[in-house]
């Protein structure tokens, strides 16, 4: 399993709008591409004077499927985000490979 992680820093003045848009519009649109089985939205708790930071983790079956997302869907979805928020949102993306889960006994 591959996890496509997008970490974004959101300034306070657009925070509420961004969070609502991510949960009700953007993440559902990414899932609707059919390239991901689920997504997880988490907030980074270490806050400073630079707004709020979130991580969105999209789960996909393979790197080939992620590459298909990059080729077919990512440009248009990124453009929609840029059209809405311009350069106010600072994001970086990482690809993670799932290895294993461990639970308390």
């Amino acid at each position: 399993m591959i996890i496509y992680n997008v970490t974004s820093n959101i300034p306070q003045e657009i925070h509420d709008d961004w969070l609502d848009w991510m949960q009700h519009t953007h993440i559902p649109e990414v899932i609707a591409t059919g390239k991901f089985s689920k997504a997880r939205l988490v907030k980074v708790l270490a806050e400073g004077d630079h707004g709020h930071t979130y991580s969105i983790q999209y789960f996909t079956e393979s790197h080939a499927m992620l590459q298909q997302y990059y080729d077919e869907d990512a440009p248009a979805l990124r453009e929609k985000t840029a059209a809405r928020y311009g350069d106010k949102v600072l994001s970086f993306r990482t690809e993670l490979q799932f290895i294993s889960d461990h639970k308390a006994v």
Side-chain angles (χ1 to χ4, degrees), residues 3 27 38-42 55-59:
I3 303 167
I27 292 172
K38 68 177 182 176
R40 178 176 289 145
L41 173 64
V42 297
S55 171
I56 304 100
Q57 301 166 352
Y58 300 97
F59 294 77

Side-chain angles (χ1 to χ4, degrees), residues 1 3 20 29 42 55 58-59 70 72 76 81 84 103:
M1 176 178 297
I3 303 167
D20 182 69
E29 287 178 338
V42 297
S55 171
Y58 300 97
F59 294 77
Y70 289 153
E72 297 175 1
T81 303
R84 187 174 181 100
K103 296 181 180 182

